[in-house]
């Protein structure tokens, strides 16, 4: 376990812990090559599901244990206060701790909202961002699209005995108030997050069972929703951007991937045609190829600001 700010030590394979402005921050290093931080979804889903062995052949993957999850520390306002700004500050402190000139930032699901926020507000030192199953907005508009997609999913899988349990779990999602409930919901909705869960349940049931989650409210420190609408800011993003979305994703589907792609200048869009919300598991080679090709093509480009990033001091 590394407690050092030495760059080599900070990127040595294994588990790392350091003090992030008074909160314990853990991360995990695998692979070799250019450095890529991976921020998990939820908020509140633990990092392990995001392991990408295919990508670790090409990149040094730094998997973030987001604050409030796993063995990273919790905020004094837990389960509130985990805003995108707070997660972005935590990411910047990890980047400062690693002391590398440039990093890639991959965010999955809610992590993609965090990555977009980071690119908008702290672009210096980012070699590129990968917005994986994200969207430009949350709130009623996003919810309505998810409900429409869920109806399509239900129609396509009407003959599956487990469908009613999935739909009931979605209905209970807004009533989560504990870690146990967060975990039950994460596992309960998983069949809808895979393009064909029931077609190969033997493969996917262990993934479902391995999920871990903590209850993160989605509210700021004073209990207000951390609602998101990045549509005015995304056209100003100067960081090279790759957008990845699964064709069968229910919660952050192709509509949002295309909208992100249209809003961000020069971005690339990859649609995984046989995936839902977890393309890195459903189509691991195609996913890894897309990220690897993006990283290789942007390595020689200057950072978004054209200058060395400032270290975060607050």
């Amino acid at each position: 376990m590394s407690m050092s700010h030495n760059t080599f030590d900070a990127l040595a394979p294994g588990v790392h812990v350091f003090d992030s402005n008074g909160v314990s921050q853990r991360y995990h290093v695998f692979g070799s090559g250019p450095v890529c931080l991976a921020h998990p979804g939820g908020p509140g889903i633990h990092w392990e599901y995001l392991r990408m062995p295919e990508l670790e052949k090409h990149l040094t993957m730094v998997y973030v244990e987001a604050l409030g999850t796993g063995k990273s520390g919790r905020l004094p306002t837990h389960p509130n206060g985990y805003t995108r700004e707070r997660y972005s500050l935590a990411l910047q402190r990890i980047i400062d701790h690693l002391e590398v000139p440039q990093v890639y930032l991959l965010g999955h699901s809610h992590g993609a909202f965090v990555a977009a926020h980071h690119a908008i507000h702290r672009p210096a030192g980012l070699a590129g961002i990968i917005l994986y199953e994200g969207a430009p907005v949350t709130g009623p508009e996003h919810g309505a699209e998810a409900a429409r997609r869920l109806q399509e999913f239900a129609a396509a899988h009407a003959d599956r005995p487990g469908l009613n349990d999935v739909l009931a779990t979605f209905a209970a999602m807004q009533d989560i108030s504990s870690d146990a409930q967060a975990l039950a919901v994460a596992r309960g909705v998983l069949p809808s997050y895979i393009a064909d869960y029931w077609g190969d349940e033997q493969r996917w049931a262990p993934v479902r069972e391995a999920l871990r989650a903590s209850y993160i409210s989605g509210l700021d420190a004073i209990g207000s929703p951390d609602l998101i609408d990045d549509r005015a800011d995304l056209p100003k993003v100067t960081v090279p951007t790759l957008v990845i979305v699964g064709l069968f994703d229910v919660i952050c589907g192709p509509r949002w991937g295309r909208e992100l792609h249209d809003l961000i200048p020069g971005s690339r869009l990859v649609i995984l045609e046989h995936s839902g919300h977890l393309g890195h598991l459903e189509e691991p080679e195609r996913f890894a190829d897309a990220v690897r090709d993006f990283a290789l093509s942007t390595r020689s480009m200057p950072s978004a600001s054209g200058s060395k990033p400032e270290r975060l001091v607050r």
Side-chain angles (χ1 to χ4, degrees):
M1 186 178 293
S2 171
M3 303 293 290
S4 169
H5 280 263
N6 178 280
T7 301
F8 176 78
D9 288 343
L11 283 170
V15 184
H16 297 258
V17 185
F18 71 98
D19 182 279
S20 177
N21 196 37
V23 182
S24 179
Q25 174 70 70
R26 278 167 59 106
Y27 64 91
H28 304 256
V29 178
F30 295 87
S32 60
V35 176
C36 179
L37 272 66
H39 197 287
I45 307 298
H46 294 199
W47 73 279
E48 292 91 344
Y49 82 96
L50 202 54
R51 276 290 307 274
M52 301 172 175
E54 285 294 319
L55 210 45
E56 293 164 14
K57 298 174 184 177
H58 312 286
L59 298 171
T60 300
M61 296 301 298
V62 177
Y63 299 99
V64 176
E65 270 194 62
L67 298 182
T69 69
K71 294 185 179 179
S72 279
R74 294 184 165 189
L75 300 180
T77 53
H78 185 90
N80 298 344
Y82 297 92
T83 60
R84 289 199 300 167
E85 173 65 9
R86 190 63 185 80
Y87 282 129
S88 175
L89 287 170
L91 281 173
Q92 190 60 51
R93 291 190 177 102
I94 295 173
I95 292 168
D96 291 346
H97 178 77
L98 296 178
E99 295 186 337
V100 291
Q102 287 193 329
V103 301
Y104 292 91
L105 175 58
L106 183 155
H108 174 247
S109 196
H110 178 264
F113 289 99
V114 175
H117 181 91
H118 200 81
I120 291 165
H121 297 283
R122 296 180 176 87
L126 290 180
I129 57 170
I130 299 98
L131 304 182
Y132 170 33
E133 310 297 355
V137 294
T138 59
E141 191 175 353
H142 184 269
E145 174 68 4
R148 186 186 71 81
R149 295 282 291 179
L150 186 59
Q151 287 182 330
E152 292 179 349
F153 168 82
H157 299 277
D159 61 334
R160 297 295 187 176
L163 176 63
N164 287 338
D165 288 341
V166 173
L167 298 180
T169 304
F170 268 101
M173 194 177 282
Q174 61 188 14
D175 298 323
I176 299 172
S177 60
S178 70
D179 289 351
Q181 288 173 321
L183 178 58
V185 165
R187 291 179 178 172
V189 301
L190 188 74
S192 69
Y193 280 36
I194 304 286
D196 189 14
Y197 177 90
W198 289 298
D200 193 357
E201 193 164 359
Q202 189 172 359
R203 175 185 178 190
W204 296 117
V207 173
R208 189 182 197 179
E209 181 63 26
L211 277 179
R212 299 290 180 266
S214 300
Y215 171 52
I216 303 292
S217 70
L219 305 176
D220 65 19
I222 59 171
S224 299
D226 185 32
L227 291 177
I228 294 165
D229 189 341
D230 287 335
R231 285 177 289 202
D233 290 321
L234 289 172
K236 306 168 193 171
V237 168
T238 57
V239 177
T241 302
L242 171 64
V243 178
I244 303 179
V245 61
L247 185 63
F248 296 94
D249 189 3
V250 167
I251 202 73
C252 288
R255 169 190 168 177
W256 300 124
R258 292 189 183 100
E259 191 166 327
L260 286 169
H261 173 55
D262 290 342
L263 286 166
I264 301 172
S267 64
R268 302 183 189 183
L269 174 64
V270 171
I271 297 177
L272 300 175
E273 297 182 358
H274 306 288
S275 293
H277 195 62
L278 297 169
H280 71 287
L281 301 177
E282 296 173 83
E283 297 180 71
E285 291 182 359
R286 174 109 198 278
F287 180 91
D289 286 347
V291 177
R292 181 202 63 206
D293 293 348
F294 170 71
L296 288 175
S297 68
T298 55
R299 280 201 73 184
S300 60
M301 298 174 67
S303 66
S305 66
S307 61
K308 187 174 180 179
E310 297 180 9
R311 290 178 63 84
L312 184 68
V313 293
R314 57 187 165 129

